[in-house]
Amino acid sequence: MGDTKIESAGQVLARQLSLVGESVDNASLFSAFEEGSTESSEPPVESPPTTAAASAGETPTQAVGLGDSGPTAADADKAEARNAKRHVWQDKVCFALGVFNLAFSFLWIGASPQTFYVAHTIKAVLLFGVRLAYYRKQNLHYYFFDFCYLVNALLLLHCWVPRLRRIKWLWEALFACAAGPLAWSIPALRNSLVLHDFDKMTSLFMHWSPVVVVWALRWFPIEGHPMSQPEAAQASVLEVVAPATLLYLVWCVAYYLKIFVVSEKKIRERGYDTLYLYTLRKGGLGKVINNYRPELRPLIYLAGHAASCTATFLVSFLFFNSFYAHTALILAVSFAATWNGACYYFDYFSFRYVPSLGLTHKLQPGKEE
């Protein structure tokens, strides 16, 4: 019986992967729709009558004429096919750009690590700009008040504004933040290398790329940077952790006032989402926080957030003083992102991508169209 179960599971996986392979081939994916097939897994939903003739008791055919029968099942299938085709095409473009981005990034790092911040800046402007526009439409733009976005913004200013570039404590704070909370967020939040998914790649970029930028600035500094000075070769625990902790405390107070005091009513009435609300809806930490009274939950959330960030600030001291440890960190979080992406593709994507297109009834294995 055990062999039979394993064989059955393998057959299921093979069939699902076969469907994914067909979905990449536009010709086979949409051949069922090119001839105007009228098959459908469910009958089309009719919208209620809204015209004056309909309200007067006339049928749609009587109102518009016998020759106009309105949308048919075949029309609905064609529209569904067009949407699916556009979806697949967009995913192909994102996948191709994702692979190109990997090659582009590692070639740049190998050729000129001290200028990698230029490539980071170009990608940050594009990715965050698109995400902000999309998040505003989805009522998600308050996510941009989170700590990771602040670190990304300050890192860009540090790289491009000469006066900020020379501030040693700001550099040490950004190093601890990037090699600390941002780096460890990749395994903790399961950031994944999912090349066809723009949003997942943006989230991975937000946490992974700053780690590489501070690695390049730390070990291959540009002119005028604090690390270009011989006396900056080593740093104490206090020098690394204290500036980052101060920066975090300033953000934490500002975040509490903005999210839970100033804009609390606006967030509630307009249905805006925040990372805090998302955490409450999820398991793990959300279950723990929900055990407390509502008025205490924001403080419990921020206390947990502060404790985890402080712990990673302390660990970042090791990376600041060791090239090999810092390089190992990048390799480790890169592997974590790659592993998470592999799990996504084989545990989720291979079974649900084709059904998500709404075309499974057209692509059953062995079915003749």
Side-chain angles (χ1 to χ4, degrees):
M1 290 295 292
D3 293 340
T4 303
K5 289 183 179 179
I6 292 174
E7 182 180 0
S8 175
Q11 290 173 347
V12 171
L13 178 59
R15 285 197 301 269
Q16 295 292 345
L17 290 176
S18 175
L19 295 183
V20 175
E22 291 181 19
S23 71
V24 178
D25 182 354
N26 288 338
S28 65
L29 178 62
F30 303 109
S31 60
F33 298 96
E34 296 299 330
E35 299 300 326
S37 171
T38 59
E39 296 181 15
S40 177
S41 58
E42 296 181 358
V45 179
E46 297 181 1
S47 55
T50 56
T51 63
S55 62
E58 299 180 18
T59 65
T61 303
Q62 292 172 333
V64 301
L66 296 175
D68 188 356
S69 59
T72 64
D75 294 331
D77 278 348
K78 289 180 179 180
E80 183 182 73
R82 285 193 296 269
N83 290 335
K85 187 174 183 178
R86 182 171 59 251
H87 185 100
V88 172
W89 183 84
Q90 290 172 348
D91 287 349
K92 288 180 179 180
V93 171
C94 287
F95 188 93
L97 290 176
V99 174
F100 173 79
N101 173 59
L102 291 177
F104 173 79
S105 298
F106 286 111
L107 284 173
W108 194 312
I109 293 170
S112 181
Q114 65 273 17
T115 61
F116 180 72
Y117 71 92
V118 178
H120 170 80
T121 301
I122 296 172
K123 291 185 284 187
V125 172
L126 292 174
L127 294 176
F128 291 147
V130 173
R131 169 171 277 194
L132 179 59
Y134 174 74
Y135 272 22
R136 284 189 65 86
K137 293 181 179 179
Q138 302 295 322
N139 287 341
L140 301 173
H141 52 288
Y142 270 56
Y143 277 79
F144 275 76
F145 288 105
D146 292 330
F147 186 62
C148 295
Y149 289 99
L150 173 66
V151 174
N152 273 270
L154 290 177
L155 183 59
L156 290 175
L157 293 174
H158 172 76
C159 290
W160 289 100
V161 179
R163 289 187 178 181
L164 295 181
R165 183 186 300 172
R166 291 192 290 268
I167 300 178
K168 186 173 182 290
W169 72 263
L170 178 60
W171 154 247
E172 292 167 341
L174 291 173
F175 181 94
C177 291
L182 267 65
W184 293 99
S185 291
I186 294 174
L189 301 179
R190 291 189 61 83
N191 286 166
S192 307
L193 186 65
V194 180
L195 296 169
H196 77 281
D197 192 309
F198 179 86
D199 196 54
K200 291 184 184 298
M201 290 300 291
T202 303
S203 295
L204 177 59
F205 167 84
M206 177 174 65
H207 296 114
W208 182 85
S209 194
V211 183
V212 181
V213 171
V214 299
W215 173 86
L217 293 176
R218 170 65 181 92
W219 306 108
F220 306 93
I222 55 180
E223 185 179 354
H225 193 271
M227 294 312 303
S228 62
Q229 305 301 320
E231 62 272 15
Q234 298 292 320
S236 65
V237 176
L238 187 63
E239 287 177 314
V240 175
V241 176
T245 304
L246 178 61
L247 176 63
Y248 179 85
L249 289 176
V250 172
W251 168 85
C252 191
V253 173
Y255 184 84
Y256 180 86
L257 293 175
K258 173 61 179 177
I259 301 299
F260 302 111
V261 179
V262 177
S263 299
E264 187 274 335
K265 183 178 179 181
K266 180 190 294 186
I267 292 172
R268 176 167 35 85
E269 292 179 348
R270 299 186 182 183
Y272 292 160
D273 199 11
T274 64
L275 185 59
Y276 165 73
L277 295 175
Y278 174 80
T279 303
L280 294 187
R281 296 194 301 268
K282 302 292 287 185
L285 182 60
K287 291 182 179 180
V288 176
I289 296 174
N290 283 320
N291 290 328
Y292 293 87
R293 298 196 307 271
E295 61 271 19
L296 293 178
R297 290 172 188 169
L299 295 176
I300 299 299
Y301 166 77
L302 289 175
H305 194 276
S308 60
C309 287
T310 303
T312 59
F313 291 156
L314 292 169
V315 177
S316 69
F317 161 74
L318 172 64
F319 307 131
F320 191 93
N321 290 299
S322 172
F323 170 82
Y324 296 104
H326 198 181
T327 304
L329 171 70
I330 294 177
L331 294 176
V333 297
S334 299
F335 178 80
T338 305
W339 175 257
N340 291 338
C343 292
Y344 176 88
Y345 276 116
F346 286 97
D347 295 343
Y348 176 87
F349 176 84
S350 61
F351 289 92
R352 300 191 182 184
Y353 182 71
V354 172
S356 74
L357 300 176
L359 299 175
T360 4
H361 65 286
K362 298 295 181 183
L363 294 172
Q364 297 299 328
K367 180 177 178 180
E368 294 183 2
E369 299 293 349

